[in-house]
Amino acid sequence: DIVMTQSPLSLPVTPGEPASISCRSSQSLLSRNGYNQLDWYLQKPGQPPQLLISLASNRASGVPDRFSGSGSGTDFTLKISRVEAEDVGVYYCMQTLQIPWTFGQGTEVEIK
Amino acid sequence: EVQLVESGGGLVQPGGSLRLSCAASGFTFSTYWMHWVRQAPGKGPVWVSQIKGDGSNIKYADSVKGRFTISRDNAKNTLYLQMNSLSNEDAGVYYCARDDPGPQAFDIWGQGTMVTVSS
């Protein structure tokens, strides 16, 4: 199975400041069609995860442009340009290159 | 409105069975791959199973293989998960999720149904 490793696991943030989460995979997520099969999700308390980013850098419909994804191969990053209070929750990366699809451990973002 | 609504969770004894359902609405259900994802209390999500729109290409996580069966009824716009020989490790919230075929991502999730395994 592909192992996904996120860091940090906890991220206290100040509203208005930037934030960054790293996700590394145990093997390259670059598919034969040239896309990185890496998604980012945010799970707010008491809710199911919601899709933020697919194919490493494509924002999902309705996702604010303060969220951006980057990276290729085995190293990926989710950035929030200016954190807002509504961004608190647990962020997960997930690979869809190979069954079983696997998630990172999660990064809990909280407001300082 | 595009929506997924799970049902069928509850309290079951170890070794028991449950059948989960996921009712889909607001989209052409038969054209989408669908998945089950579970989340134990305080833990991250774990992929469980997938099924193609026509009922083929079924896959399972090793932890549930031989015990769980995914299926769908496209006439009823409903996804199912038959769970047998349940253990404490199977407890948690079970989500059904729609697979956006372009990027292969879970673009729509249900609210989940809780499965508790206890004697």
Side-chain angles (χ1 to χ4, degrees):
Chain A
D1 297 0
I2 297 177
V3 178
M4 306 299 292
T5 304
Q6 290 181 229
S7 62
L9 299 184
S10 178
L11 184 58
V13 296
T14 300
E17 294 296 307
S20 179
I21 300 170
S22 171
C23 176
R24 290 186 173 177
S25 56
S26 60
Q27 64 187 74
S28 175
L29 301 183
L30 189 62
S31 65
R32 283 176 290 184
N33 62 11
Y35 293 101
N36 286 282
Q37 299 292 151
L38 186 283
D39 307 323
W40 289 97
Y41 296 86
L42 165 59
Q43 187 170 29
K44 297 181 179 181
Q47 296 185 18
Q50 60 187 83
L51 179 64
L52 296 176
I53 302 284
S54 64
L55 297 177
S57 61
N58 293 352
R59 260 191 314 277
S61 175
V63 174
D65 60 8
R66 64 179 181 274
F67 291 94
S68 64
S70 63
S72 184
T74 61
D75 290 333
F76 302 90
T77 302
L78 176 70
K79 292 182 179 178
I80 310 173
S81 58
R82 292 174 304 278
V83 173
E84 297 188 6
E86 65 182 23
D87 300 335
V88 299
V90 183
Y91 290 77
Y92 296 98
C93 60
M94 184 187 81
Q95 66 81 19
T96 61
L97 180 71
Q98 182 184 111
I99 291 289
W101 293 3
T102 46
F103 291 84
Q105 322 96 299
T107 295
E108 185 167 13
V109 171
E110 59 180 16
I111 299 296
K112 282 182 181 175
Chain B
E1 179 191 4
V2 175
Q3 196 172 9
L4 298 171
V5 178
E6 301 93 337
S7 60
L11 174 63
V12 61
Q13 292 185 339
S17 299
L18 276 179
R19 188 197 198 198
L20 307 183
S21 299
C22 169
S25 59
F27 64 99
T28 306
F29 179 68
S30 62
T31 65
Y32 284 85
W33 293 65
M34 296 294 297
H35 300 249
W36 287 99
V37 176
R38 69 184 181 186
Q39 188 169 28
K43 303 293 186 181
V46 175
W47 176 85
V48 172
S49 182
Q50 72 169 37
I51 186 170
K52 193 177 177 182
D54 62 2
S56 66
N57 284 75
I58 288 175
K59 302 289 185 185
Y60 299 99
D62 284 347
S63 58
V64 307
K65 205 172 292 184
R67 300 186 299 120
F68 288 14
T69 302
I70 190 172
S71 63
R72 63 193 297 160
D73 185 336
N74 287 340
K76 295 182 178 180
N77 290 335
T78 303
L79 175 73
Y80 302 101
L81 186 67
Q82 176 67 44
M83 305 187 297
N84 299 330
S85 303
L86 287 163
S87 71
N88 293 339
E89 287 69 40
D90 298 314
V93 177
Y94 282 72
Y95 298 102
C96 59
R98 189 180 81 168
D99 183 346
D100 185 344
Q104 279 189 188
F106 298 143
D107 64 341
I108 302 295
W109 295 67
Q111 285 300 309
T113 187
M114 174 69 77
V115 172
T116 303
V117 183
S118 175
S119 54

